[in-house]
Amino acid sequence: AINITQHSFSGTDVFGYTSFLAYSTIPNITFYYEFHLKFQLLNHHSALQDNLIFFTGQKGKGLNGDDFLVLGLRDGKAVYSYNLGSGTATIISKPLDLTLNIHVIHLGRYLQKGWLKVDDQKNKTITSPGRLVGLNVFSQFYLGGYHEYTPELLPKGSRFKNGFQGCIFDVQVRTDMNQEFKSPGTPEGHPNSGRSVGQCKASPCTLIRCRNGGKCVESGSTVYCDCLAGWKGAFCTEIVTVCDPEHDPPHLCKRGGTCVPLPNGYTCHCPLGASGIYCEQG
């Protein structure tokens, strides 16, 4: 078990699914909210990949016309969008200074007016179109990715093709100017669910010792021991016998015969209807 205090996201995997955390719906977000967060990119390339940082929506599906709130990275810039039901407002920052190790984002909205401040850049503001002034969202608050295929289900005009790649930490929100900032979730800071999230800067391989020449391999939030020939098991502690499927060459028992290892080689126990040394005869 790894105690995750700074979340590390691996982006979109080979099946098209993103690593993500889902927190309970943020209450009282309708007329006012402020978010603070910090993030660290996996590499410079990940800033250019249309990466989602967080999302919450009316129905949670990001269907066209839904109220939604979304933050992501596109072409090396932070993109903040919201729709109160009468049109989308979008603020795009200047390009991120990729020499910085950690980036800081402050954003917020009061009624129709929104603002975004990234690192040491100047504060940018926008006013959403139409007359509606309330953000009505009921979905969970998704961080780092989405529980479905992101491209199909995020809002039209704000689609991010990948989950975030890197670390996101110190996410804080408040829905009243007189409130203190708090971590999302109920209880505070606790997500409801997630997928492929690890601990930033700490590989689970540091906690695992593969034996007999095995090598620890990290894949997203999954780790396993890659064993040398002749060894198997979670930590490469078990010897591969002549009857194991990993053995090369494989045993020759046919017709459903059961391979039974012997001190020198093996024998085949044949099922009813089969005979011969390798159960090869009917």
Side-chain angles (χ1 to χ4, degrees):
I2 301 169
N3 183 28
I4 296 178
T5 55
Q6 296 185 345
H7 307 105
S8 173
F9 299 89
S10 52
T12 305
D13 66 19
V14 292
F15 302 107
Y17 290 111
T18 60
S19 54
F20 77 93
L21 288 173
Y23 295 88
S24 54
T25 304
I26 297 172
N28 307 317
I29 201 173
T30 308
F31 300 114
Y32 181 91
Y33 58 75
E34 277 185 85
F35 285 91
H36 290 179
L37 63 90
K38 299 175 183 177
F39 65 86
Q40 188 173 30
L41 295 168
L42 177 66
N43 50 48
H44 289 182
H45 181 62
S46 64
L48 307 174
Q49 285 194 317
D50 265 10
N51 290 345
L52 176 74
I53 296 177
F54 69 64
F55 167 81
T56 183
Q58 189 166 41
K59 299 181 177 69
K61 297 290 187 182
L63 300 172
N64 196 21
D66 284 357
D67 288 23
F68 68 85
L69 164 64
V70 68
L71 173 68
L73 296 176
R74 180 175 292 130
D75 298 327
K77 305 168 185 174
V79 179
Y80 160 43
S81 293
Y82 58 93
N83 189 335
L84 309 180
S86 54
T88 301
T90 298
I91 305 177
I92 301 175
S93 75
K94 291 181 177 179
L96 296 177
D97 179 357
L98 297 180
T99 63
L100 296 175
N101 186 37
I102 293 177
H103 301 275
V104 180
I105 289 185
H106 294 178
L107 64 85
R109 180 190 63 86
Y110 174 59
L111 302 179
Q112 290 177 287
K113 186 176 181 180
W115 65 90
L116 170 69
K117 180 165 174 48
V118 178
D119 296 330
D120 293 328
Q121 299 179 18
K122 287 186 177 180
N123 194 46
K124 284 192 168 187
T125 62
I126 197 169
T127 301
S128 60
R131 295 184 175 183
L132 298 179
V133 297
L135 178 72
N136 299 297
V137 292
F138 312 113
S139 81
Q140 297 183 99
F141 178 75
Y142 294 97
L143 185 68
Y146 200 52
H147 70 106
E148 299 283 1
Y149 286 100
T150 302
E152 286 83 353
L153 292 174
L154 282 177
K156 189 175 181 180
S158 296
R159 288 179 177 165
F160 291 90
K161 297 175 183 175
N162 301 290
F164 187 80
Q165 292 176 289
C167 303
I168 302 175
F169 39 90
D170 294 347
V171 180
Q172 301 277 300
V173 60
R174 68 179 180 183
T175 53
D176 189 299
M177 287 186 72
N178 300 316
Q179 276 183 352
E180 290 186 0
F181 280 92
K182 291 184 176 181
S183 299
T186 306
E188 184 183 347
H190 289 259
N192 297 335
S193 62
R195 177 172 58 219
S196 296
V197 176
Q199 169 70 355
C200 187
K201 295 183 179 178
S203 169
C205 280
T206 59
L207 307 175
I208 292 175
R209 185 181 172 193
C210 302
R211 308 296 179 116
N212 301 305
K215 182 180 179 182
C216 181
V217 178
E218 183 179 1
S219 175
S221 64
T222 303
V223 291
Y224 62 92
C225 289
D226 187 16
C227 303
L228 292 178
W231 297 95
K232 67 174 185 174
F235 303 104
C236 306
T237 54
E238 302 170 41
I239 296 174
V240 175
T241 71
V242 69
C243 288
D244 286 328
E246 299 96 337
H247 190 270
D248 187 19
H251 66 78
L252 299 175
C253 299
K254 310 291 185 185
R255 298 174 179 265
T258 302
C259 178
V260 178
L262 298 174
N264 294 306
Y266 64 95
T267 185
C268 297
H269 285 188
C270 302
L272 191 65
S275 66
I277 295 176
Y278 301 114
C279 310
E280 74 278 11
Q281 299 172 14

